[in-house]
Amino acid sequence: MPQMTSVILTTTIFCFAVGIAVLLYNPGRFTNQILSIASVLVAAWLGLVATVIESGASLASSREPMLLFWLRANAFLAAFFPWLVWLLKESLIAKEERRRAVIKRSLPWLAFGSILALLSATDSFIAYCVEANTTERGLSYVTYNVLSVCAYVGIVGQSYRQIKVQTGMRRVAMQFLVLNFGIACLLLVVLTSVGNIFHLSILKKISLFVFVGSYFLTAWAIALHRVYEARQMFCALAQRLTMVLLSVGLIFLGGESGAELYSNRVALFISIMTWSFAFFLADNRLGSVFGLNAHAATTNVRMKIIDLARGHPDTEDLVHAFKALLKSHGKTAPVLMRFHHDDPAAIGDLVMTEGTLAFRALGELGWATPESLEHRKSSAELAELHRFMSRHSLGLVVASPQGSSNPSLILGLGVKDNRWPYTYPEVERWQNVAELMDNILTHSRLVAQAALMAKIEYLALVSRGLAHDLKNLITPMSSFLVHTEGYFPPGSAAEEVRLAAKRATRIMSEYVREAWFFGNQLEPKFEQVAIGDIMAAVLQVTESHAKRREVKVEVELATDAPLVADAVLIQRLITNLVANALDASSAGSMVRIEASREPADRLRVRVSDRGSGIAPEHRELIFEPYFTTKVFGDDTRGFGLGLTICQRIAQLHEGAISVQSELNKGTTFAVDLPLRRFLPRAALPATGAGRAGGSLGVALA
């Protein structure tokens, strides 16, 4: 008995600690509040059980009053268990803002518990029989237990009916409640009553352990942010229990049979090693028997992802193929993806801006479901993430790589068709799939970048040769035009031809400068510069162009953060974008330049116009060298190198450039540049745009 008492007292302390921990974990959640109250009541009840065992260890007439008191006190506390079970059930399915209404509706159950408590205080509840040196239960005891059984049967039945109309997390939580706490309380009453009637102490011990075990399982299911289905949990427990029983039995039999050949210790050691290794190998197969082995399903979708990667070299096509696969495999609403945090035109349609509270929370958690967020302690980050998921109707969001504060891939899965939540085993599988997709997409992107760099290297070589040859051809033409200045009569045919040749030579010179800039070797000189100074220089360079086009240029600086960059190249980049915007704009319109921090460690520059826009079939080609569709603007058309140079400058600064455009409504180019101090990548090819003599005066594409 002393050992039993020690175990119960230890469990009492643990129950009380669980109640406090659950309340501190999420004090604002109604279910956690009810569970903490239930934990304190269970701890007090267990303490009384230990006291009853200690008092009844040696019955004597002198101890009779105290024993009866503790027995009645024990029943007094247990009388309120139905009320708490009902409150716990309703807290799971009721909305948080209706907790007062739930408490009000629980008053009949509180009154019912008070009636049971009064029954436990009557003389006919329990009495001490001196002749038999034992306790006897009377009419009040029978009434107490019958009413308790009826109450628990009613709660379990009501819960079962409510489960059928519930969806998602509420249904899962109700399953745990009905299969654990409600039925455990019912078993506690039935087994204890039978044990008292037939004087079978083993039944009372079993009922106690069943109740405490079910309580801890229920507390774990309600408080933990990871979601498990009741079937998964019980199948997992059954699998482990089967493994333990089979292992112990076979190890014992192996040790007994081997004792004839070896000593007992050697035979037992060999049996342990043999059967432990055998069950380790058989664990997955045993999991399949209980329906817990999801390795096959994960392997299947992984193989399909790998096959898609082999057939879709283009990153954007690969993302669309992945989305279609996941949508069919997961049987969910739309699958949303965001790929690569430093790409402002993130592939996919999941918009989660880097540096926001939701992005920060997801980076810390690694994954989130609406149910897991409700279980966690409330914070501004989690609330923002919950609103984001609700806005996009998402049932699961996974970030990859795991544990990264700046994930490169975010995978969002819609709410399941059956409205059930994503359980933690499913979360683990999707994390595995997301990491595989992240690796494949990152590799695809790097391959595409390497191919682009190789292409630019080749075109830069061609441009240098072309610029050199054109310069040699232009030199004698320029000399001839200088020497024939004023030689022909004004208005004559010869003078008109000479003026046309002069204009053509000037345009060709601009072409040469552009090609020479693109083809020259480049080593950016990084220094701390002010974005305001760069914008002022851009306005100065483009002022005459804007006047000719009769277009207003407006600048809005939302940040004055210093930028570590090559001022000449960044000015060249922005100037090229502004020049293109001016050429696309009609007289009287406006070109807008904006600079802001999005997120905190990056500078985003937007150049917007309200011009003709870019046709959809041309958007993927505008950054290609020597591609141009200009049929408007100044007479200097360029070789279609302006945007290629812009892209190259952004890459040299570890940034990115993207475009959004709609025909006849306008175009917006966005440039993302890191604000942090860094060294240029040594692995980057040294070709690309070059300085025009170190001057801030740059030619426009």
Side-chain angles (χ1 to χ4, degrees), residues 370-382:
E371 296 78 20
S372 69
L373 296 177
E374 290 176 1
H375 280 217
R376 293 180 181 273
K377 190 174 183 178
S378 179
S379 67
E381 291 83 0
L382 297 185

mmCIF file with all atom_site columns, all heavy atoms in Angstrom, residues 370-382:
data_model
loop_
_atom_site.group_PDB
_atom_site.id
_atom_site.type_symbol
_atom_site.label_atom_id
_atom_site.label_alt_id
_atom_site.label_comp_id
_atom_site.label_asym_id
_atom_site.label_entity_id
_atom_site.label_seq_id
_atom_site.pdbx_PDB_ins_code
_atom_site.Cartn_x
_atom_site.Cartn_y
_atom_site.Cartn_z
_atom_site.occupancy
_atom_site.B_iso_or_equiv
_atom_site.pdbx_formal_charge
_atom_site.auth_seq_id
_atom_site.auth_comp_id
_atom_site.auth_asym_id
_atom_site.auth_atom_id
_atom_site.pdbx_PDB_model_num
ATOM 1   N N   . PRO A 1 370 ? -4.514 26.267 -39.064 1.00 0.00 ? 370 PRO A N   1
ATOM 2   C CA  . PRO A 1 370 ? -5.366 27.114 -38.220 1.00 0.00 ? 370 PRO A CA  1
ATOM 3   C C   . PRO A 1 370 ? -5.564 26.519 -36.828 1.00 0.00 ? 370 PRO A C   1
ATOM 4   O O   . PRO A 1 370 ? -5.620 27.245 -35.835 1.00 0.00 ? 370 PRO A O   1
ATOM 5   C CB  . PRO A 1 370 ? -6.690 27.167 -39.009 1.00 0.00 ? 370 PRO A CB  1
ATOM 6   C CG  . PRO A 1 370 ? -6.300 26.922 -40.425 1.00 0.00 ? 370 PRO A CG  1
ATOM 7   C CD  . PRO A 1 370 ? -5.153 25.958 -40.362 1.00 0.00 ? 370 PRO A CD  1
ATOM 8   N N   . GLU A 1 371 ? -5.655 25.185 -36.751 1.00 0.00 ? 371 GLU A N   1
ATOM 9   C CA  . GLU A 1 371 ? -5.875 24.532 -35.461 1.00 0.00 ? 371 GLU A CA  1
ATOM 10  C C   . GLU A 1 371 ? -4.654 24.661 -34.558 1.00 0.00 ? 371 GLU A C   1
ATOM 11  O O   . GLU A 1 371 ? -4.782 24.912 -33.355 1.00 0.00 ? 371 GLU A O   1
ATOM 12  C CB  . GLU A 1 371 ? -6.213 23.050 -35.677 1.00 0.00 ? 371 GLU A CB  1
ATOM 13  C CG  . GLU A 1 371 ? -7.507 22.799 -36.427 1.00 0.00 ? 371 GLU A CG  1
ATOM 14  C CD  . GLU A 1 371 ? -7.371 23.007 -37.925 1.00 0.00 ? 371 GLU A CD  1
ATOM 15  O OE1 . GLU A 1 371 ? -6.222 22.963 -38.423 1.00 0.00 ? 371 GLU A OE1 1
ATOM 16  O OE2 . GLU A 1 371 ? -8.396 23.225 -38.601 1.00 0.00 ? 371 GLU A OE2 1
ATOM 17  N N   . SER A 1 372 ? -3.458 24.498 -35.123 1.00 0.00 ? 372 SER A N   1
ATOM 18  C CA  . SER A 1 372 ? -2.251 24.611 -34.306 1.00 0.00 ? 372 SER A CA  1
ATOM 19  C C   . SER A 1 372 ? -2.063 26.034 -33.800 1.00 0.00 ? 372 SER A C   1
ATOM 20  O O   . SER A 1 372 ? -1.586 26.243 -32.676 1.00 0.00 ? 372 SER A O   1
ATOM 21  C CB  . SER A 1 372 ? -1.027 24.174 -35.113 1.00 0.00 ? 372 SER A CB  1
ATOM 22  O OG  . SER A 1 372 ? -0.747 25.099 -36.151 1.00 0.00 ? 372 SER A OG  1
ATOM 23  N N   . LEU A 1 373 ? -2.442 27.023 -34.600 1.00 0.00 ? 373 LEU A N   1
ATOM 24  C CA  . LEU A 1 373 ? -2.326 28.415 -34.164 1.00 0.00 ? 373 LEU A CA  1
ATOM 25  C C   . LEU A 1 373 ? -3.295 28.729 -33.043 1.00 0.00 ? 373 LEU A C   1
ATOM 26  O O   . LEU A 1 373 ? -2.987 29.508 -32.136 1.00 0.00 ? 373 LEU A O   1
ATOM 27  C CB  . LEU A 1 373 ? -2.565 29.353 -35.351 1.00 0.00 ? 373 LEU A CB  1
ATOM 28  C CG  . LEU A 1 373 ? -1.532 29.265 -36.490 1.00 0.00 ? 373 LEU A CG  1
ATOM 29  C CD1 . LEU A 1 373 ? -1.927 30.187 -37.630 1.00 0.00 ? 373 LEU A CD1 1
ATOM 30  C CD2 . LEU A 1 373 ? -0.143 29.624 -35.990 1.00 0.00 ? 373 LEU A CD2 1
ATOM 31  N N   . GLU A 1 374 ? -4.484 28.126 -33.082 1.00 0.00 ? 374 GLU A N   1
ATOM 32  C CA  . GLU A 1 374 ? -5.458 28.335 -32.009 1.00 0.00 ? 374 GLU A CA  1
ATOM 33  C C   . GLU A 1 374 ? -4.961 27.733 -30.699 1.00 0.00 ? 374 GLU A C   1
ATOM 34  O O   . GLU A 1 374 ? -5.275 28.235 -29.620 1.00 0.00 ? 374 GLU A O   1
ATOM 35  C CB  . GLU A 1 374 ? -6.797 27.716 -32.395 1.00 0.00 ? 374 GLU A CB  1
ATOM 36  C CG  . GLU A 1 374 ? -7.522 28.455 -33.520 1.00 0.00 ? 374 GLU A CG  1
ATOM 37  C CD  . GLU A 1 374 ? -8.788 27.749 -33.944 1.00 0.00 ? 374 GLU A CD  1
ATOM 38  O OE1 . GLU A 1 374 ? -9.100 26.690 -33.344 1.00 0.00 ? 374 GLU A OE1 1
ATOM 39  O OE2 . GLU A 1 374 ? -9.459 28.222 -34.879 1.00 0.00 ? 374 GLU A OE2 1
ATOM 40  N N   . HIS A 1 375 ? -4.186 26.665 -30.769 1.00 0.00 ? 375 HIS A N   1
ATOM 41  C CA  . HIS A 1 375 ? -3.686 26.008 -29.566 1.00 0.00 ? 375 HIS A CA  1
ATOM 42  C C   . HIS A 1 375 ? -2.509 26.755 -28.942 1.00 0.00 ? 375 HIS A C   1
ATOM 43  O O   . HIS A 1 375 ? -2.255 26.611 -27.750 1.00 0.00 ? 375 HIS A O   1
ATOM 44  C CB  . HIS A 1 375 ? -3.261 24.575 -29.896 1.00 0.00 ? 375 HIS A CB  1
ATOM 45  C CG  . HIS A 1 375 ? -4.414 23.623 -29.978 1.00 0.00 ? 375 HIS A CG  1
ATOM 46  N ND1 . HIS A 1 375 ? -4.348 22.332 -29.539 1.00 0.00 ? 375 HIS A ND1 1
ATOM 47  C CD2 . HIS A 1 375 ? -5.668 23.777 -30.436 1.00 0.00 ? 375 HIS A CD2 1
ATOM 48  C CE1 . HIS A 1 375 ? -5.506 21.723 -29.724 1.00 0.00 ? 375 HIS A CE1 1
ATOM 49  N NE2 . HIS A 1 375 ? -6.316 22.591 -30.291 1.00 0.00 ? 375 HIS A NE2 1
ATOM 50  N N   . ARG A 1 376 ? -1.779 27.515 -29.744 1.00 0.00 ? 376 ARG A N   1
ATOM 51  C CA  . ARG A 1 376 ? -0.600 28.208 -29.229 1.00 0.00 ? 376 ARG A CA  1
ATOM 52  C C   . ARG A 1 376 ? -0.993 29.482 -28.488 1.00 0.00 ? 376 ARG A C   1
ATOM 53  O O   . ARG A 1 376 ? -2.080 30.015 -28.673 1.00 0.00 ? 376 ARG A O   1
ATOM 54  C CB  . ARG A 1 376 ? 0.353  28.560 -30.377 1.00 0.00 ? 376 ARG A CB  1
ATOM 55  C CG  . ARG A 1 376 ? 0.984  27.351 -31.052 1.00 0.00 ? 376 ARG A CG  1
ATOM 56  C CD  . ARG A 1 376 ? 1.902  27.798 -32.171 1.00 0.00 ? 376 ARG A CD  1
ATOM 57  N NE  . ARG A 1 376 ? 2.514  26.694 -32.875 1.00 0.00 ? 376 ARG A NE  1
ATOM 58  C CZ  . ARG A 1 376 ? 3.641  26.092 -32.520 1.00 0.00 ? 376 ARG A CZ  1
ATOM 59  N NH1 . ARG A 1 376 ? 4.278  26.514 -31.436 1.00 0.00 ? 376 ARG A NH1 1
ATOM 60  N NH2 . ARG A 1 376 ? 4.137  25.089 -33.218 1.00 0.00 ? 376 ARG A NH2 1
ATOM 61  N N   . LYS A 1 377 ? -0.065 29.944 -27.685 1.00 0.00 ? 377 LYS A N   1
ATOM 62  C CA  . LYS A 1 377 ? -0.286 31.189 -26.955 1.00 0.00 ? 377 LYS A CA  1
ATOM 63  C C   . LYS A 1 377 ? -0.368 32.350 -27.940 1.00 0.00 ? 377 LYS A C   1
ATOM 64  O O   . LYS A 1 377 ? 0.464  32.483 -28.841 1.00 0.00 ? 377 LYS A O   1
ATOM 65  C CB  . LYS A 1 377 ? 0.857  31.427 -25.961 1.00 0.00 ? 377 LYS A CB  1
ATOM 66  C CG  . LYS A 1 377 ? 0.603  32.566 -24.992 1.00 0.00 ? 377 LYS A CG  1
ATOM 67  C CD  . LYS A 1 377 ? 1.699  32.636 -23.952 1.00 0.00 ? 377 LYS A CD  1
ATOM 68  C CE  . LYS A 1 377 ? 1.417  33.735 -22.936 1.00 0.00 ? 377 LYS A CE  1
ATOM 69  N NZ  . LYS A 1 377 ? 2.471  33.779 -21.887 1.00 0.00 ? 377 LYS A NZ  1
ATOM 70  N N   . SER A 1 378 ? -1.360 33.182 -27.759 1.00 0.00 ? 378 SER A N   1
ATOM 71  C CA  . SER A 1 378 ? -1.633 34.242 -28.723 1.00 0.00 ? 378 SER A CA  1
ATOM 72  C C   . SER A 1 378 ? -0.499 35.267 -28.772 1.00 0.00 ? 378 SER A C   1
ATOM 73  O O   . SER A 1 378 ? 0.112  35.596 -27.754 1.00 0.00 ? 378 SER A O   1
ATOM 74  C CB  . SER A 1 378 ? -2.947 34.943 -28.361 1.00 0.00 ? 378 SER A CB  1
ATOM 75  O OG  . SER A 1 378 ? -3.223 35.984 -29.268 1.00 0.00 ? 378 SER A OG  1
ATOM 76  N N   . SER A 1 379 ? -0.202 35.743 -29.987 1.00 0.00 ? 379 SER A N   1
ATOM 77  C CA  . SER A 1 379 ? 0.778  36.808 -30.204 1.00 0.00 ? 379 SER A CA  1
ATOM 78  C C   . SER A 1 379 ? 0.408  37.531 -31.488 1.00 0.00 ? 379 SER A C   1
ATOM 79  O O   . SER A 1 379 ? -0.392 37.043 -32.291 1.00 0.00 ? 379 SER A O   1
ATOM 80  C CB  . SER A 1 379 ? 2.199  36.238 -30.297 1.00 0.00 ? 379 SER A CB  1
ATOM 81  O OG  . SER A 1 379 ? 2.340  35.444 -31.458 1.00 0.00 ? 379 SER A OG  1
ATOM 82  N N   . ALA A 1 380 ? 1.012  38.698 -31.689 1.00 0.00 ? 380 ALA A N   1
ATOM 83  C CA  . ALA A 1 380 ? 0.709  39.487 -32.893 1.00 0.00 ? 380 ALA A CA  1
ATOM 84  C C   . ALA A 1 380 ? 1.135  38.741 -34.157 1.00 0.00 ? 380 ALA A C   1
ATOM 85  O O   . ALA A 1 380 ? 0.431  38.764 -35.167 1.00 0.00 ? 380 ALA A O   1
ATOM 86  C CB  . ALA A 1 380 ? 1.416  40.843 -32.812 1.00 0.00 ? 380 ALA A CB  1
ATOM 87  N N   . GLU A 1 381 ? 2.285  38.046 -34.103 1.00 0.00 ? 381 GLU A N   1
ATOM 88  C CA  . GLU A 1 381 ? 2.768  37.302 -35.266 1.00 0.00 ? 381 GLU A CA  1
ATOM 89  C C   . GLU A 1 381 ? 1.827  36.170 -35.630 1.00 0.00 ? 381 GLU A C   1
ATOM 90  O O   . GLU A 1 381 ? 1.468  35.976 -36.800 1.00 0.00 ? 381 GLU A O   1
ATOM 91  C CB  . GLU A 1 381 ? 4.172  36.750 -35.003 1.00 0.00 ? 381 GLU A CB  1
ATOM 92  C CG  . GLU A 1 381 ? 5.262  37.804 -34.932 1.00 0.00 ? 381 GLU A CG  1
ATOM 93  C CD  . GLU A 1 381 ? 5.355  38.438 -33.562 1.00 0.00 ? 381 GLU A CD  1
ATOM 94  O OE1 . GLU A 1 381 ? 4.558  38.035 -32.669 1.00 0.00 ? 381 GLU A OE1 1
ATOM 95  O OE2 . GLU A 1 381 ? 6.194  39.346 -33.383 1.00 0.00 ? 381 GLU A OE2 1
ATOM 96  N N   . LEU A 1 382 ? 1.402  35.400 -34.608 1.00 0.00 ? 382 LEU A N   1
ATOM 97  C CA  . LEU A 1 382 ? 0.520  34.264 -34.878 1.00 0.00 ? 382 LEU A CA  1
ATOM 98  C C   . LEU A 1 382 ? -0.853 34.733 -35.346 1.00 0.00 ? 382 LEU A C   1
ATOM 99  O O   . LEU A 1 382 ? -1.483 34.093 -36.201 1.00 0.00 ? 382 LEU A O   1
ATOM 100 C CB  . LEU A 1 382 ? 0.389  33.394 -33.630 1.00 0.00 ? 382 LEU A CB  1
ATOM 101 C CG  . LEU A 1 382 ? 1.677  32.730 -33.129 1.00 0.00 ? 382 LEU A CG  1
ATOM 102 C CD1 . LEU A 1 382 ? 1.373  31.792 -31.962 1.00 0.00 ? 382 LEU A CD1 1
ATOM 103 C CD2 . LEU A 1 382 ? 2.371  31.974 -34.243 1.00 0.00 ? 382 LEU A CD2 1
#
